[in-house]
Amino acid sequence: MNRLEQLLAFCEEEPNDPFNWYALTLEYQKSDPQKAGEGYDKLVQDFPGYVPTYYHAGQFWAEAGEEEKAKAIYEAGIHQAEQAKDFHALRELKGALQRWMDEWEM
């Protein structure tokens, strides 16, 4: 069983564990951008409180040229990090948003 098959099995066994979907989405990002995008959308919709999603999802959509979606994802992540009092993630998300906005406006 390869890594992708293992991650799919984990998602099947524990569909309510956001980490399983997160790991699967990161794996898809290496080989299947469409499935990665679907994975990020699922994570944001089904597990909005799973803060690690937002940094990678924002970066993914920014690189895909989906500027408005990327901005909305970063902003949602900032809100979720504030709610969770996850100050490390909050700093990372604010920094990522600012760096990306500086580049995007150039």
Side-chain angles (χ1 to χ4, degrees):
M1 183 180 285
N2 67 30
R3 180 159 171 76
L4 188 57
E5 291 169 336
Q6 286 179 319
L7 293 169
L8 285 165
F10 292 153
C11 289
E12 228 176 81
E13 291 168 14
E14 295 182 74
N16 295 321
D17 184 345
F19 178 78
N20 292 335
W21 294 104
Y22 178 70
L24 177 63
T25 299
L26 291 178
E27 191 66 25
Y28 274 137
Q29 197 167 336
K30 297 175 187 175
S31 62
D32 192 334
Q34 181 172 341
K35 286 193 177 183
E38 292 168 3
Y40 285 124
D41 287 344
K42 176 181 181 51
L43 283 159
V44 169
Q45 180 178 341
D46 294 354
F47 306 102
Y50 192 68
V51 176
T53 298
Y54 295 94
Y55 182 89
H56 293 285
Q59 187 176 32
F60 174 82
W61 291 116
E63 290 173 3
E66 297 282 342
E67 290 88 5
E68 293 303 320
K69 189 167 188 172
K71 183 178 182 222
I73 294 287
Y74 280 132
E75 289 172 346
I78 289 167
H79 174 74
Q80 290 296 332
E82 287 172 341
Q83 295 297 308
K85 296 187 183 351
D86 185 340
F87 300 112
H88 176 75
L90 181 60
R91 279 190 307 276
E92 285 186 342
L93 286 162
K94 283 183 173 182
L97 175 61
Q98 187 60 55
R99 284 188 303 278
W100 175 73
M101 298 243 342
D102 289 346
E103 291 174 17
W104 184 36
E105 292 174 355
M106 291 183 138

